[in-house]
Amino acid sequence: MTTTSDPGTRGMLTLDELRVLVDAGEIDTVTVAITDVQGRLQGKLLGAEYFINEVAHHSSEGCNYLLAVDVEMNTVDGYAISSWESGYGDLVMRPDLSTLRLTPWQPGAALVICDVLWPSCSPVVQSPRQILQAQVDRLAERGLQAFAGTELEFIAFDTSYEDAQRSGYREVVPANLYNVDYSLLGSVRVEPLLRDIRNAMSGAGFYVEGTKGECNFGQHETTFKFRDVVGSCDNHSIYKFGAKVMAANAGKSITFMAKYNEREGNSCHIHLSFRGDDGSIVMAGDRDHGFSELMEHFIAGVLDALADFTYFLAPNINSYKRFVKGSFAPTAVAWGFDNRTCAVRVVGKGPSLRAELRVGGADLNPYLAVAAFIAAGLHGMDNELPLPPLVTGNAYEAAVDQLPTTLVDAAARLESSELARKAFGDEVVDHYVHAARVEIDAFERAITDWERVRGFERL
């Protein structure tokens, strides 16, 4: 097992190291996981010896409906890859052994992320991890590699998941009862849970930067050092899973909803930078603002594609409740230096120069969001798009284009986008447009508490 002196690799395992731990009786379970459309880990808990002897080199299977269900795991008509008519067959979960790691929140267990294939061994192109890998491959063709870090916020409650559900999510108590943005006292009050999360993630192969309080009651953020984009998205999904497990084990709960209430929403800011395949600096240069020509085209492409790709950053009905002026959630398609009112915030200089995409909420699927970020940048680079004017001051009031404001609008933009179909392919676009429509249809059939409060007596 990797030594404790190597941050960011502690807890990572080779197959031989796993075998030693299994023989010693320290590991008895291996979780094999894929990431579904909603960005959640799905999979199986396997006996460790069975995993080593059979699955590690020969894969496992799961029903192909895992990439074609709604949030509540209901089977949904209309997907090309999975249906009653096709018999709901299997897909193949092939372990990526480079992701094998301990899971400190689950004693005696390890976890591995899998790629998703058809029984013919061809990739399932609609799988989020495969969608991101396709964009990584496009970068590699241009001699580039990408690095990312995600900043993910959540709200913690002193109410268990079960009690929250039984109360209809109305009688839940935030872990802090006031704004704890940068508050050390507010953070320390929740430190037993936050410390467990930090230490467990460190023991699962993460390089932990730290935690800080945020604006909403009980809202906090844990950040991790940037790394290659696929590995960063793997960690993002594992972190959300592990953090929920640890909260549940403590009799608490956390939510990654984009907009839990009318206060500040939960964001997921994504930092992205490119390097040459030899590690060379490619974004910084001697042009205006300290940019290279590539950086200029990259930002231009992100802004040009942002409205078409908004679904990948805001995939749920609730996502769009976060887009409120003056809320630190951007509504303007604009870029600026260290300007939190812009969709794209440029930070750092020289080797650390990077773009922060601030559009997404904590409910996004990291693989899809980062894939969209890369594809948008490639669009600008390949077409040598000119850099739009820098926005200073309050971008909420700037005379620039605005993001789609509903899931209906975002789905329509994605469906009609030639750029998206060129970047991702028709199969991917059609799959996720349908996923959006499934959520829209479910919401339109629902009767909300807001409607009952306003209309029960007074209408």
Side-chain angles (χ1 to χ4, degrees):
M1 188 172 65
T2 309
T3 64
T4 57
S5 62
D6 191 1
T9 59
R10 185 183 302 118
M12 300 302 294
L13 300 171
T14 65
L15 194 60
D16 287 340
E17 289 169 338
L18 175 64
R19 186 177 287 107
V20 170
L21 293 175
V22 171
D23 290 343
E26 296 182 35
I27 296 293
D28 52 60
T29 303
V30 177
T31 301
V32 295
I34 67 170
T35 305
D36 68 6
V37 168
Q38 290 79 19
R40 306 171 298 186
L41 293 189
Q42 306 284 15
K44 302 178 181 179
L45 306 180
L46 301 180
E49 290 184 350
Y50 173 72
F51 173 81
I52 291 171
N53 295 330
E54 303 292 339
V55 175
H57 298 296
H58 301 290
S59 303
S60 186
E61 298 80 31
C63 180
N64 59 31
Y65 95 140
L66 288 172
L67 295 177
V69 292
D70 66 8
V71 173
E72 296 182 328
M73 301 299 290
N74 295 313
T75 54
V76 179
D77 291 334
Y79 282 108
I81 68 168
S82 180
S83 66
W84 293 110
E85 290 74 21
S86 64
Y88 283 111
D90 274 346
L91 48 76
V92 174
M93 299 185 290
R94 183 178 66 190
D96 179 347
L97 293 178
S98 71
T99 70
L100 184 64
R101 70 192 69 208
L102 298 174
T103 49
W105 56 86
Q106 186 181 351
L111 179 146
V112 66
I113 296 291
C114 299
D115 287 314
V116 184
L117 309 174
W118 293 115
S120 65
C121 292
S122 61
V124 178
V125 298
Q126 296 88 346
S127 166
R129 198 170 194 254
Q130 272 56 63
I131 291 170
L132 176 57
Q133 186 60 56
Q135 300 307 312
V136 171
D137 292 344
R138 291 180 66 201
L139 279 175
E141 292 170 358
R142 295 157 175 79
L144 297 171
Q145 54 183 327
F147 298 87
T150 59
E151 299 173 344
L152 191 58
E153 296 170 350
F154 62 81
I155 299 175
F157 299 92
D158 288 333
T159 308
S160 72
Y161 282 111
E162 290 76 15
D163 287 344
Q165 184 176 13
R166 279 190 284 265
S167 74
Y169 302 97
R170 288 183 292 272
E171 297 175 14
V172 292
V173 180
N176 303 101
L177 299 180
Y178 54 86
N179 181 329
V180 294
D181 194 24
Y182 289 95
S183 168
L184 292 178
L185 178 60
S187 293
V188 171
R189 291 283 297 276
V190 191
E191 178 63 357
L193 176 60
L194 299 179
R195 181 172 182 266
D196 283 349
I197 291 173
R198 288 197 308 272
N199 289 343
M201 295 306 152
S202 179
F206 291 64
Y207 192 156
V208 178
E209 292 184 351
T211 53
K212 67 172 289 289
E214 292 289 343
C215 296
N216 207 332
F217 297 176
Q219 188 177 46
H220 296 268
E221 175 186 83
T222 305
T223 55
F224 307 96
K225 187 175 176 63
F226 74 91
R227 56 167 297 173
D228 67 285
V229 291
V230 175
S232 187
C233 292
D234 290 341
N235 284 0
H236 179 121
S237 295
I238 293 169
Y239 162 61
K240 287 184 72 173
F241 168 70
K244 287 181 179 180
V245 171
M246 282 182 277
N249 289 343
K252 301 179 184 294
S253 57
I254 59 179
T255 184
F256 292 96
M257 287 180 65
K259 192 74 169 175
Y260 166 71
N261 56 19
E262 294 182 2
R263 294 184 60 86
E264 289 77 11
N266 287 322
S267 67
C268 176
H269 302 146
I270 302 171
H271 292 251
L272 182 69
S273 64
F274 295 158
R275 294 281 180 100
D277 54 16
D278 59 355
S280 57
I281 304 302
V282 298
M283 285 187 149
D286 57 5
R287 299 172 74 90
D288 290 347
H289 315 299
F291 291 175
S292 66
E293 185 177 1
L294 179 148
M295 180 66 163
E296 292 179 345
H297 298 325
F298 168 78
I299 294 175
V302 172
L303 295 181
D304 192 58
L306 197 52
D308 283 10
F309 291 178
T310 297
Y311 167 79
F312 293 123
L313 302 162
N316 300 299
I317 292 285
N318 179 255
S319 307
Y320 296 84
K321 301 293 180 70
R322 188 174 147 269
F323 293 166
V324 178
K325 290 184 178 181
S327 67
F328 289 102
T331 60
V333 181
W335 78 276
F337 279 109
D338 197 15
N339 187 338
R340 287 181 168 86
T341 70
C342 294
V344 177
R345 172 180 174 240
V346 176
V347 290
K349 60 182 180 180
S352 68
L353 184 67
R354 62 196 185 276
E356 177 194 34
L357 186 57
R358 297 180 58 82
V359 173
D363 60 335
L364 59 69
N365 183 319
Y367 300 95
L368 301 179
V370 174
F373 201 173
I374 293 172
L378 283 171
H379 162 62
M381 292 153 54
D382 289 349
N383 293 285
E384 299 184 347
L385 299 183
L387 181 67
L390 169 71
V391 172
T392 59
N394 187 354
Y396 291 112
E397 305 300 330
V400 295
D401 291 339
Q402 300 293 303
L403 293 169
T405 58
T406 68
L407 183 57
V408 172
D409 293 340
R413 285 295 297 255
L414 179 61
E415 183 175 32
S416 63
S417 173
E418 293 182 8
L419 171 58
R421 293 184 180 277
K422 180 179 179 181
F424 304 112
D426 290 338
E427 292 173 301
V428 169
V429 171
D430 292 343
H431 189 85
Y432 286 94
V433 168
H434 187 66
R437 286 177 175 158
V438 167
E439 291 304 298
I440 293 165
D441 290 346
F443 180 74
E444 288 179 345
R445 290 193 302 270
I447 307 301
T448 66
D449 287 352
W450 182 87
E451 293 168 279
R452 291 192 182 99
V453 169
R454 290 175 74 88
F456 189 93
E457 176 181 348
R458 289 170 286 186
L459 293 180

